Amino acid sequence: MNRYDCVIVGGGPVGCHTASELAKHGHQVAVLEKNLTVGQPVCCTGLISFQCFKQYAIPVELVLRELSSASVYAPGGTVLHLARPEAQAVVIDRGAYNAHMARQAQENGADYLLGHRVSEIVLNPDGVILRVIQNGREVLFATRSVALACGFGSRLPQAIGLGKVGQWTVGAQVEVEATDLREVEIFLGRELAPGYFAWLVPVEGKRALAGLMADKCTHKYLERYLSMLQECGRVSSILTKPTYRGITLSAPSRLCAPRVMLIGDAAGQVKPLTGGGLYFGLLCADMASSALHNAIEKDDFSARRMKVYNDELRKKLGREIRFGWYGHKLFAKMSDNTIQRMAKWALRHKMTERIAASTQIAFDWHGAAFFHLFKQGLWPFGSDKKDK
């Protein structure tokens, strides 16, 4: 039987970062990845903040493009342009980044095992047994602790009593050929992506990524969006078939229990307004690996010890995720007329210039931005006849 200090279920960037940090401390760690290849499949723009890029030392050779501006298209035709002199974000090759993180975990001493699907987790007072399917046969792993970085849709968290996820949605994306696209373009409107938004993100040369999020009928909304882009000349051709990805927007009822914790997409550690999960996931991987390291060192995997992870997460990200969630719920209820009115209000009050000049508003911290605007009275909740 394979024996470890910690087994990470899921070999994406969050799981690999957790494994890397634990392996650096000399702990015996394994990453179990159900897929047979590293880095695939990918349904993600690869758009991350410059802060994330620098903080986690992402190799510069993985950067496909730097971006410093974006345009937001309201349903009624009003366009908001946001720009800063310096780069605010980069587009990275997410497939290559996933593979890089897997290599890094192995270089730091973790075992990275492909084609290993966890079918059952048995939590015991003195350890954990994982039943794993490999090449059609069952293999047992014994470990002192488990971190579930199993992404969207896994039944494992609920099976061990951590509860079900709350709200979720689906992202869809294709690669396209776009003409003269130099910045991120965001399209709003209930006809395109009700409650969410559609995007067009430049990658390399004329290549771009076009996609959206929707709670249902995602493929129909994507078809409609792509037709619109082609009709208005923004996209000349569609280069790939659509890829789809479930996105957890709200966490299960519990993120930890004796000997086990939940991290990444499986824990709803995403930005509620955009569904982006890499930066928050890596931050939570830092917290998880720190808590697991201390638990392993003290040989204490009690609920009280594991709860340290949950407490730190709430302290550092709780308010951000909470206000981001409130912002998402508010936006989801808005009609196209309300969105258009707000866009016109923002233009008249030079909101894009004020946002660009503010040091309180950053790429990743949407909840903080929402709260800042609310405190400053810079949000048109009431009606304004001049903006209709």
Side-chain angles (χ1 to χ4, degrees), residues 119-134:
S119 61
E120 184 181 9
I121 298 174
V122 181
L123 300 174
N124 298 314
D126 58 347
V128 185
I129 301 296
L130 287 82
R131 299 186 184 276
V132 180
I133 306 301
Q134 180 201 14

Side-chain angles (χ1 to χ4, degrees), residues 294-359:
N294 290 329
I296 293 169
E297 288 287 284
K298 297 180 184 299
D299 193 25
D300 179 3
F301 301 92
S302 63
R304 180 186 61 81
R305 173 65 61 182
M306 303 301 273
K307 187 174 177 291
V308 170
Y309 158 67
N310 191 64
D311 292 343
E312 185 178 9
L313 190 156
R314 290 193 176 197
K315 179 179 178 182
K316 293 185 176 180
L317 291 177
R319 192 176 80 163
E320 170 62 29
I321 292 176
R322 185 168 64 255
F323 276 106
W325 178 244
Y326 291 155
H328 163 69
K329 291 178 69 176
L330 177 64
F331 178 75
K333 294 178 180 179
M334 292 181 182
S335 66
D336 283 356
N337 286 337
T338 300
I339 296 172
Q340 170 64 9
R341 179 167 57 82
M342 289 179 65
K344 292 176 68 175
W345 182 94
L347 271 183
R348 188 162 66 87
H349 291 274
K350 301 186 182 299
M351 283 298 300
T352 55
E353 291 90 337
R354 297 167 76 171
I355 290 172
S358 174
T359 59

Side-chain angles (χ1 to χ4, degrees), residues 263-279:
I263 54 177
D265 284 357
Q269 292 163 350
V270 304
K271 293 176 278 189
L273 283 170
T274 67
L278 183 60
Y279 185 44

Side-chain angles (χ1 to χ4, degrees), residues 235-249:
V235 164
S236 57
S237 62
I238 299 169
L239 304 177
T240 62
K241 293 182 179 179
T243 56
Y244 297 89
R245 171 180 169 238
I247 303 169
T248 303
L249 295 178

Side-chain angles (χ1 to χ4, degrees), residues 204-251:
E204 282 184 306
K206 294 183 179 180
R207 288 195 307 120
L209 295 171
L212 52 78
M213 294 187 293
D215 289 336
K216 58 183 178 179
C217 301
T218 311
H219 64 289
K220 293 183 179 180
Y221 285 111
L222 182 64
E223 290 174 0
R224 182 182 301 171
Y225 174 50
L226 294 174
S227 296
M228 183 208 77
L229 291 175
Q230 290 181 303
E231 289 172 5
C232 68
R234 299 301 297 125
V235 164
S236 57
S237 62
I238 299 169
L239 304 177
T240 62
K241 293 182 179 179
T243 56
Y244 297 89
R245 171 180 169 238
I247 303 169
T248 303
L249 295 178
S250 59

